[in-house]
Amino acid sequence: MTNEITKAVEILQRGGLVAFPTETVYGLGADAANPSAVAKIFAAKNRPIDHPLIVHIAEIKQLSYWARDVSATALKLANSFWPGPLTMIFKKALHVSDLVTGSQDTIGLRIPNHPVAFNLLKSFGGALAAPSANRFGRISPTTAEAVKEELGDNVDAILAGGQCEVGVESTILDVSGETPVILRPGMITLKQIEAVLQQPVLVQRKNSPRVSGSHTSHYAPITTTNLVKDLRMLSQYLSQDCLPCAVLALNPELFSYLSNEAQLIEMPKNPKEYAFRLYQLLRDLDKQGLKRIFIEMVPNEHEWDAIRDRLRRAAVG
Ligand code: TXA
Ligand code: MG
């Protein structure tokens, strides 16, 4: 056990907060079995108390402690995708604190795929309730520096682990009912889940306030952000009140007219690379005092579902 992990475990045992890297985004962790520790998460993030937290575990065998009625379907998915960026919603075990679950009868669980998270969870021995380590409504942090910017002194320790490989939050799949339902798209796609299960999976369309990512204006930069279907339409918006601005483009060749106050940023055409870059880029742009961020809409293909979802939320308001 490294010195840093030893200290982090001590903090968790005392009921403190430790931010740690996962493959998706950094999490703000507290002992999931200690309600007063979990309460500190809500205070540090300024998060409404009825928003349930994801509980992170190290191994599948911990599942039965936190969840009940785990179906064969869920186990199949756990074996296929864990450790990895899939959160599953189960019926909760009776002892689970209402603070963790937002007083619901269900609990979200996942095994993150990151060596630092794994070491922390293994050394701690229990489970960590951990939302993304940002202030409520803001962009999730994908580096230790971003956690520091978001939470400052509201966290007892930050474990560094480089830039998160996936870059957007996990896919959330409700497996507590008959048919699995995607509550939040992530980089594990509907098609990948259906391929494992050999059965159709539903996607929740309505905005449930219970899933904090489904609030409008979530994952949002401070700078006003607009989505643009076709970059050729953009020139009409580039009036003085939108400048200086940044334009995130998949097809920069479509954008021939460029004011020198518009910064053109070419985005990767591969969704994995796009996801990896997105949050840190928005965070950097937010520091530049821009009047507007324009983002070219991404393709209407399932591999882009998670990114399309986050862009829509960033652009509201
Ligand atoms: O990738 C991730 O999922 C990251 C890393 C740290 O694991 N965590 C994350 O946590 O994104 P958070 O709190 O920012 O988003 C978790 C989402 C929330 O929208 C919450 O409402 C939903 O999971 N959630 C948790 N438990 C739930 C439950 N029992 N029923 C429905 N939604 C639930
Ligand atoms: Mg979050």
Side-chain angles (χ1 to χ4, degrees):
M1 220 194 304
T2 67
N3 204 9
E4 291 238 295
I5 298 272
T6 311
K7 274 195 211 143
V9 167
E10 282 165 12
I11 290 168
L12 293 169
Q13 285 165 343
R14 286 203 309 267
L17 299 181
V18 174
F20 62 95
T22 80
E23 78 281 35
T24 58
V25 300
Y26 276 69
L28 177 62
D31 180 356
N34 177 345
S36 66
V38 173
K40 291 181 191 163
I41 293 177
F42 292 89
K45 280 187 57 112
N46 199 12
R47 177 177 170 117
I49 205 83
D50 64 345
H51 281 257
L53 304 173
I54 294 172
V55 173
H56 298 70
I57 54 178
E59 290 164 306
I60 290 184
K61 66 178 188 214
Q62 289 172 275
L63 196 53
S64 58
Y65 179 75
W66 295 96
R68 65 192 151 85
D69 301 346
V70 175
S71 63
T73 300
L75 273 181
K76 202 168 178 184
L77 293 173
N79 283 307
S80 302
F81 294 112
W82 283 354
L86 176 69
T87 296
M88 284 190 277
I89 308 293
F90 300 90
K91 296 245 169 59
K92 70 164 195 165
L94 297 177
H95 64 84
V96 180
S97 158
D98 276 346
L99 263 184
V100 170
T101 64
S103 302
Q104 301 187 80
D105 188 35
T106 52
I107 180 170
L109 287 155
R110 88 175 185 103
I111 303 183
N113 186 16
H114 192 291
V116 175
F118 181 76
N119 276 337
L120 179 67
L121 284 162
K122 270 303 254 186
S123 311
F124 177 58
L128 296 177
S132 52
N134 50 279
R135 280 164 294 149
F136 185 68
R138 298 292 330 282
I139 304 169
S140 297
T142 52
T143 63
E145 294 71 35
V147 175
K148 182 95 190 120
E149 278 170 25
E150 285 290 326
L151 299 175
D153 294 334
N154 288 346
V155 51
D156 300 306
I158 301 174
L159 293 174
Q163 183 164 355
C164 303
E165 238 179 270
V166 175
V168 297
E169 304 80 358
S170 60
T171 306
I172 301 183
L173 184 72
D174 186 346
V175 292
S176 67
E178 281 292 300
T179 309
V181 185
I182 291 186
L183 303 184
R184 177 176 74 183
M187 296 309 280
I188 289 179
T189 65
L190 172 85
K191 291 256 167 73
Q192 282 173 283
I193 295 169
E194 287 182 338
V196 168
L197 296 182
Q198 299 288 314
Q199 83 173 78
V201 167
L202 300 174
V203 178
Q204 191 188 53
R205 292 283 172 211
K206 68 173 171 38
N207 268 3
S208 151
R210 289 299 192 163
V211 177
S212 71
S214 69
H215 265 244
T216 49
S217 190
H218 209 85
Y219 312 112
I222 295 163
T223 313
T224 306
T225 301
N226 295 138
L227 293 182
V228 185
K229 275 218 178 91
D230 185 337
L231 285 185
R232 282 167 294 203
M233 309 291 287
L234 194 58
S235 55
Q236 63 192 8
Y237 294 105
L238 288 185
S239 58
Q240 262 329 312
D241 51 329
C242 291
L243 294 172
C245 72
V247 183
L248 276 54
L250 286 166
N251 297 297
E253 63 278 7
L254 291 182
F255 191 57
S256 49
Y257 161 78
L258 188 62
S259 153
N260 56 11
E261 284 187 279
Q263 189 187 144
L264 183 65
I265 298 165
E266 181 167 1
M267 294 301 287
K269 289 200 170 68
N270 171 319
K272 287 208 166 86
E273 289 167 31
Y274 193 114
F276 175 74
R277 261 196 88 186
L278 181 64
Y279 284 171
Q280 189 57 39
L281 178 60
L282 291 177
R283 194 171 279 284
D284 291 341
L285 292 173
D286 246 351
K287 291 176 191 147
Q288 294 184 15
L290 302 171
K291 290 223 181 93
R292 208 64 77 93
I293 299 171
F294 293 103
I295 307 181
E296 183 183 6
M297 201 39 176
V298 296
N300 211 5
E301 291 157 13
H302 74 98
E303 296 91 343
W304 291 90
D305 284 352
I307 295 166
R308 210 179 314 108
D309 172 77
R310 302 311 186 275
L311 293 182
R312 288 208 172 111
R313 297 184 197 294
V316 174

